[in-house]
Every structure is written in C-alpha cells, then in structure tokens.
mmCIF file of all heavy atoms in Angstrom:
data_model
loop_
_atom_site.group_PDB
_atom_site.id
_atom_site.type_symbol
_atom_site.label_atom_id
_atom_site.label_comp_id
_atom_site.label_asym_id
_atom_site.label_seq_id
_atom_site.Cartn_x
_atom_site.Cartn_y
_atom_site.Cartn_z
ATOM 1 N N ALA A 64 22.833 67.899 122.905
ATOM 2 C CA ALA A 64 22.380 69.059 122.140
ATOM 3 C C ALA A 64 21.925 70.197 123.044
ATOM 4 O O ALA A 64 22.053 71.377 122.694
ATOM 5 C CB ALA A 64 21.241 68.644 121.203
ATOM 6 N N ALA A 65 21.404 69.858 124.227
ATOM 7 C CA ALA A 65 20.925 70.869 125.164
ATOM 8 C C ALA A 65 22.061 71.582 125.891
ATOM 9 O O ALA A 65 21.836 72.617 126.526
ATOM 10 C CB ALA A 65 19.982 70.243 126.183
ATOM 11 N N GLY A 66 23.284 71.017 125.826
ATOM 12 C CA GLY A 66 24.424 71.711 126.409
ATOM 13 C C GLY A 66 25.248 70.949 127.410
ATOM 14 O O GLY A 66 26.131 71.520 128.056
ATOM 15 N N ALA A 67 25.016 69.649 127.564
ATOM 16 C CA ALA A 67 25.806 68.855 128.516
ATOM 17 C C ALA A 67 27.267 68.780 128.077
ATOM 18 O O ALA A 67 27.558 68.603 126.893
ATOM 19 C CB ALA A 67 25.231 67.445 128.628
ATOM 20 N N ASP A 68 28.173 68.892 129.041
ATOM 21 C CA ASP A 68 29.600 68.691 128.790
ATOM 22 C C ASP A 68 30.035 67.293 129.211
ATOM 23 O O ASP A 68 31.033 66.780 128.715
ATOM 24 C CB ASP A 68 30.428 69.722 129.559
ATOM 25 C CG ASP A 68 30.228 71.132 129.031
ATOM 26 O OD1 ASP A 68 30.458 71.337 127.827
ATOM 27 O OD2 ASP A 68 29.829 72.014 129.808
ATOM 28 N N SER A 69 29.301 66.719 130.154
ATOM 29 C CA SER A 69 29.531 65.322 130.533
ATOM 30 C C SER A 69 28.185 64.698 130.876
ATOM 31 O O SER A 69 27.264 65.394 131.317
ATOM 32 C CB SER A 69 30.487 65.199 131.722
ATOM 33 O OG SER A 69 29.849 65.572 132.925
ATOM 34 N N ILE A 70 28.096 63.401 130.678
ATOM 35 C CA ILE A 70 26.867 62.670 130.992
ATOM 36 C C ILE A 70 27.241 61.433 131.800
ATOM 37 O O ILE A 70 28.072 60.627 131.370
ATOM 38 C CB ILE A 70 26.103 62.266 129.719
ATOM 39 C CG1 ILE A 70 25.599 63.518 128.978
ATOM 40 C CG2 ILE A 70 24.922 61.346 130.068
ATOM 41 C CD1 ILE A 70 24.911 63.231 127.657
ATOM 42 N N THR A 71 26.627 61.329 132.975
ATOM 43 C CA THR A 71 26.844 60.176 133.853
ATOM 44 C C THR A 71 25.585 59.336 133.889
ATOM 45 O O THR A 71 24.485 59.851 134.119
ATOM 46 C CB THR A 71 27.206 60.642 135.276
ATOM 47 O OG1 THR A 71 28.433 61.378 135.220
ATOM 48 C CG2 THR A 71 27.354 59.460 136.226
ATOM 49 N N ILE A 72 25.756 58.051 133.663
ATOM 50 C CA ILE A 72 24.624 57.121 133.673
ATOM 51 C C ILE A 72 24.792 56.133 134.830
ATOM 52 O O ILE A 72 25.888 55.983 135.369
ATOM 53 C CB ILE A 72 24.489 56.383 132.314
ATOM 54 C CG1 ILE A 72 25.839 55.736 131.894
ATOM 55 C CG2 ILE A 72 24.062 57.361 131.226
ATOM 56 C CD1 ILE A 72 25.992 54.300 132.227
ATOM 57 N N HIS A 73 23.698 55.481 135.203
ATOM 58 C CA HIS A 73 23.752 54.516 136.302
ATOM 59 C C HIS A 73 23.966 53.103 135.780
ATOM 60 O O HIS A 73 23.268 52.660 134.868
ATOM 61 C CB HIS A 73 22.464 54.574 137.127
ATOM 62 C CG HIS A 73 22.578 55.484 138.304
ATOM 63 N ND1 HIS A 73 22.946 55.057 139.557
ATOM 64 C CD2 HIS A 73 22.422 56.820 138.393
ATOM 65 C CE1 HIS A 73 22.982 56.095 140.373
ATOM 66 N NE2 HIS A 73 22.673 57.181 139.689
ATOM 67 N N LEU A 74 24.923 52.429 136.392
ATOM 68 C CA LEU A 74 25.166 51.021 136.073
ATOM 69 C C LEU A 74 23.879 50.215 136.171
ATOM 70 O O LEU A 74 23.587 49.361 135.323
ATOM 71 C CB LEU A 74 26.211 50.469 137.046
ATOM 72 C CG LEU A 74 26.567 48.992 136.920
ATOM 73 C CD1 LEU A 74 27.338 48.732 135.635
ATOM 74 C CD2 LEU A 74 27.394 48.540 138.126
ATOM 75 N N GLU A 75 23.082 50.510 137.199
ATOM 76 C CA GLU A 75 21.870 49.725 137.478
ATOM 77 C C GLU A 75 20.713 50.018 136.520
ATOM 78 O O GLU A 75 19.731 49.284 136.495
ATOM 79 C CB GLU A 75 21.390 50.012 138.909
ATOM 80 C CG GLU A 75 22.423 49.801 139.996
ATOM 81 C CD GLU A 75 23.215 51.061 140.325
ATOM 82 O OE1 GLU A 75 23.137 52.038 139.535
ATOM 83 O OE2 GLU A 75 23.897 51.077 141.364
ATOM 84 N N ALA A 76 20.833 51.103 135.730
ATOM 85 C CA ALA A 76 19.705 51.544 134.903
ATOM 86 C C ALA A 76 19.833 51.168 133.432
ATOM 87 O O ALA A 76 18.960 51.503 132.632
ATOM 88 C CB ALA A 76 19.540 53.060 135.019
ATOM 89 N N CYS A 77 20.929 50.476 133.077
ATOM 90 C CA CYS A 77 21.204 50.196 131.666
ATOM 91 C C CYS A 77 21.166 48.707 131.361
ATOM 92 O O CYS A 77 21.863 47.923 132.016
ATOM 93 C CB CYS A 77 22.576 50.733 131.272
ATOM 94 S SG CYS A 77 22.791 52.486 131.553
ATOM 95 N N GLU A 78 20.425 48.327 130.343
ATOM 96 C CA GLU A 78 20.455 46.946 129.879
ATOM 97 C C GLU A 78 21.790 46.637 129.224
ATOM 98 O O GLU A 78 22.331 45.553 129.376
ATOM 99 C CB GLU A 78 19.314 46.700 128.890
ATOM 100 C CG GLU A 78 19.199 45.258 128.441
ATOM 101 C CD GLU A 78 18.002 45.003 127.542
ATOM 102 O OE1 GLU A 78 17.026 45.777 127.611
ATOM 103 O OE2 GLU A 78 18.050 44.037 126.776
ATOM 104 N N ASP A 79 22.336 47.632 128.487
ATOM 105 C CA ASP A 79 23.628 47.466 127.814
ATOM 106 C C ASP A 79 24.511 48.655 128.187
ATOM 107 O O ASP A 79 24.466 49.709 127.536
ATOM 108 C CB ASP A 79 23.419 47.376 126.303
ATOM 109 C CG ASP A 79 24.685 46.974 125.547
ATOM 110 O OD1 ASP A 79 25.796 47.234 126.075
ATOM 111 O OD2 ASP A 79 24.575 46.422 124.435
ATOM 112 N N VAL A 80 25.300 48.494 129.236
ATOM 113 C CA VAL A 80 26.150 49.581 129.720
ATOM 114 C C VAL A 80 27.164 49.995 128.660
ATOM 115 O O VAL A 80 27.378 51.184 128.414
ATOM 116 C CB VAL A 80 26.881 49.169 131.013
ATOM 117 C CG1 VAL A 80 27.849 50.250 131.463
ATOM 118 C CG2 VAL A 80 25.881 48.873 132.123
ATOM 119 N N GLY A 81 27.766 49.016 127.997
ATOM 120 C CA GLY A 81 28.772 49.302 126.989
ATOM 121 C C GLY A 81 28.241 50.155 125.849
ATOM 122 O O GLY A 81 28.877 51.125 125.432
ATOM 123 N N ALA A 82 27.062 49.809 125.361
ATOM 124 C CA ALA A 82 26.455 50.572 124.265
ATOM 125 C C ALA A 82 26.115 51.984 124.701
ATOM 126 O O ALA A 82 26.254 52.945 123.925
ATOM 127 C CB ALA A 82 25.210 49.856 123.765
ATOM 128 N N THR A 83 25.691 52.135 125.955
ATOM 129 C CA THR A 83 25.326 53.456 126.466
ATOM 130 C C THR A 83 26.553 54.352 126.573
ATOM 131 O O THR A 83 26.528 55.518 126.162
ATOM 132 C CB THR A 83 24.622 53.340 127.830
ATOM 133 O OG1 THR A 83 23.541 52.412 127.719
ATOM 134 C CG2 THR A 83 24.077 54.679 128.278
ATOM 135 N N LEU A 84 27.643 53.805 127.109
ATOM 136 C CA LEU A 84 28.873 54.587 127.201
ATOM 137 C C LEU A 84 29.431 54.913 125.810
ATOM 138 O O LEU A 84 29.939 56.021 125.571
ATOM 139 C CB LEU A 84 29.918 53.823 128.013
ATOM 140 C CG LEU A 84 29.606 53.654 129.507
ATOM 141 C CD1 LEU A 84 30.641 52.741 130.161
ATOM 142 C CD2 LEU A 84 29.557 55.002 130.218
ATOM 143 N N LYS A 85 29.309 53.975 124.904
ATOM 144 C CA LYS A 85 29.759 54.212 123.525
ATOM 145 C C LYS A 85 28.972 55.344 122.875
ATOM 146 O O LYS A 85 29.522 56.174 122.142
ATOM 147 C CB LYS A 85 29.606 52.921 122.706
ATOM 148 C CG LYS A 85 30.224 52.981 121.318
ATOM 149 C CD LYS A 85 30.127 51.628 120.625
ATOM 150 C CE LYS A 85 30.728 51.690 119.226
ATOM 151 N NZ LYS A 85 30.623 50.384 118.533
ATOM 152 N N LYS A 86 27.674 55.409 123.174
ATOM 153 C CA LYS A 86 26.815 56.472 122.639
ATOM 154 C C LYS A 86 27.258 57.837 123.173
ATOM 155 O O LYS A 86 27.295 58.831 122.435
ATOM 156 C CB LYS A 86 25.367 56.206 123.050
ATOM 157 C CG LYS A 86 24.354 57.187 122.491
ATOM 158 C CD LYS A 86 24.032 56.878 121.049
ATOM 159 C CE LYS A 86 22.819 57.659 120.587
ATOM 160 N NZ LYS A 86 22.511 57.384 119.187
ATOM 161 N N ILE A 87 27.609 57.881 124.471
ATOM 162 C CA ILE A 87 28.084 59.143 125.056
ATOM 163 C C ILE A 87 29.370 59.579 124.367
ATOM 164 O O ILE A 87 29.529 60.749 123.995
ATOM 165 C CB ILE A 87 28.304 58.984 126.575
ATOM 166 C CG1 ILE A 87 26.977 58.678 127.277
ATOM 167 C CG2 ILE A 87 28.923 60.259 127.157
ATOM 168 C CD1 ILE A 87 27.125 58.307 128.746
ATOM 169 N N ARG A 88 30.289 58.642 124.184
ATOM 170 C CA ARG A 88 31.552 58.948 123.504
ATOM 171 C C ARG A 88 31.309 59.451 122.077
ATOM 172 O O ARG A 88 31.973 60.384 121.606
ATOM 173 C CB ARG A 88 32.428 57.701 123.442
ATOM 174 C CG ARG A 88 32.972 57.251 124.781
ATOM 175 C CD ARG A 88 34.015 58.201 125.283
ATOM 176 N NE ARG A 88 34.741 57.655 126.416
ATOM 177 C CZ ARG A 88 35.318 58.388 127.341
ATOM 178 N NH1 ARG A 88 35.225 59.709 127.282
ATOM 179 N NH2 ARG A 88 35.980 57.840 128.329
ATOM 180 N N ALA A 89 30.349 58.838 121.405
ATOM 181 C CA ALA A 89 30.044 59.236 120.025
ATOM 182 C C ALA A 89 29.536 60.675 119.957
ATOM 183 O O ALA A 89 29.710 61.343 118.935
ATOM 184 C CB ALA A 89 29.022 58.279 119.424
ATOM 185 N N CYS A 90 28.943 61.127 121.047
ATOM 186 C CA CYS A 90 28.434 62.508 121.095
ATOM 187 C C CYS A 90 29.515 63.502 121.515
ATOM 188 O O CYS A 90 29.248 64.703 121.645
ATOM 189 C CB CYS A 90 27.246 62.587 122.055
ATOM 190 S SG CYS A 90 25.753 61.794 121.408
#
C-alpha cells in the first residue's frame, strides 16, 4: 500500500516461507 513494486524477504526470517511468498503474490 505504501508503494512497493517488489518485496524481498529473507529465507532465514520466515517460519513459513511459502505462505510469505504467497502473500506477496496475492498483493
């Protein structure tokens, strides 16, 4: 909502990497 065109997350920082990437795709 703030204006990101892409979002990169850290493999090491996520309990559920798949869900996090799915959330980015949903946005």
